[in-house]
Amino acid sequence: VLHEELKQSDYLLKCMLESTGDSIIVLDYEHKILSINSKGTQIINEYYGKNVKVGSDFLEVFENQKDNIVFLQHFENAKNGINSHYEVELSYKKKACWVQFSYIPIKDENNNKFGVAINIQNIQKRKVYEQSLIKQNEILKDLTHKLSHDIRGPLAHILGLSKILQDFKKPDDLLEEEVLNRLINTSFILNNISSQMVHEANSYMYK
């Protein structure tokens, strides 16, 4: 009966691992793979060119020294009971994808730590969205700079010159007075519009 219960538990665990869209890899403290779902096998093969299975040393996946160091740092954090995360862009055979690695300490039924679970989540859509927001912010920064300096600067000069011309206009020239008044009023309106646009752009960027 116990044997059948263990088989059923193992089957349910495998079903749970396969039902998720993420890559799940469970390691012991010697970096050996205790369990891995098909998504995990696939992503390791596609982006690291390695075929791994239960019993494989996961440390051998990372041939790059930098990747090796990053793995060990996060693995040690999880061994010490600390959840750890980082994002990286993986590329293999001209195929690139942003993923998030999460290192999670795992415990047995007696609450004793015995291994580390690695969750590898595809975050490509989120990164593309974040990068589009960064691009939009860059465009807005350029726009606010142009509004603040390239447009409002000349408007300030127009207002200044208009006031000087008012001081020297002919007292009885009604047409000249009307033209100057309209020029000043229009300049004030444009200045207020550009100020409002700068304010709204800054509010969007820094909200």
Side-chain angles (χ1 to χ4, degrees):
V1 177
L2 179 61
H3 179 68
E4 289 299 320
E5 288 181 351
L6 288 172
K7 282 181 65 178
Q8 185 176 10
S9 297
D10 184 59
Y11 174 75
L12 290 173
L13 176 62
K14 287 180 179 177
C15 288
M16 289 175 62
L17 290 174
E18 293 300 332
S19 66
T20 178
D22 296 346
S23 302
I24 308 291
I25 305 160
V26 180
L27 308 178
D28 66 15
Y29 285 158
E30 301 299 321
H31 320 121
K32 296 292 192 299
I33 297 176
L34 297 175
S35 182
I36 183 170
N37 66 355
S38 57
K39 285 283 185 180
T41 303
Q42 180 183 350
I43 199 168
I44 297 303
N45 179 260
E46 286 183 356
Y47 292 102
Y48 292 97
K50 297 293 181 68
N51 294 312
V52 294
K53 58 184 180 180
V54 172
S56 298
D57 187 346
F58 197 71
L59 189 61
E60 295 178 358
V61 168
F62 306 102
E63 293 183 348
N64 182 291
Q65 186 177 6
K66 181 181 177 181
D67 292 339
N68 198 297
I69 292 171
V70 171
F71 164 74
L72 289 174
Q73 286 175 340
H74 290 274
F75 186 81
E76 288 300 316
N77 284 340
K79 278 178 64 177
N80 292 323
I82 303 169
N83 286 7
S84 191
H85 313 274
Y86 70 93
E87 298 175 0
V88 64
E89 186 177 27
L90 301 179
S91 59
Y92 181 67
K93 291 184 177 179
K94 297 183 179 179
K95 185 178 180 181
C97 179
W98 275 96
V99 298
Q100 175 178 280
F101 278 79
S102 298
Y103 290 71
I104 305 159
I106 51 177
K107 302 177 182 179
D108 60 21
E109 63 273 11
N110 297 317
N111 209 35
N112 296 314
K113 298 193 296 289
F114 72 91
V116 174
I118 301 176
N119 177 284
I120 308 174
Q121 182 182 17
N122 186 322
I123 57 169
Q124 180 68 18
K125 288 183 179 179
R126 194 192 85 196
K127 294 298 289 188
V128 169
Y129 176 68
E130 288 175 354
Q131 288 166 359
S132 70
L133 288 180
I134 290 170
K135 183 64 177 177
Q136 287 177 24
N137 276 348
E138 289 174 352
I139 293 170
L140 283 173
K141 284 180 181 178
D142 184 57
L143 175 62
T144 54
H145 177 80
K146 288 179 178 177
L147 286 171
S148 297
H149 301 282
D150 298 349
I151 295 178
R152 293 179 69 188
L155 280 174
H157 287 303
I158 291 171
L159 283 169
L161 289 171
S162 298
K163 289 179 179 179
I164 292 172
L165 289 171
Q166 269 189 325
D167 293 336
F168 291 96
K169 70 179 177 62
K170 298 174 183 177
D172 57 345
D173 194 333
L174 297 178
L175 177 61
E176 184 181 3
E177 183 177 358
E178 184 180 354
V179 170
L180 285 171
N181 286 335
R182 287 190 179 185
L183 182 60
I184 291 170
N185 289 335
T186 302
S187 297
F188 273 120
I189 290 170
L190 289 173
N191 187 63
N192 289 335
I193 291 171
S194 64
S195 296
Q196 183 64 27
M197 290 175 68
V198 170
H199 175 73
E200 290 177 359
N202 284 331
S203 297
Y204 176 82
M205 287 189 294
Y206 302 113
K207 67 180 178 180

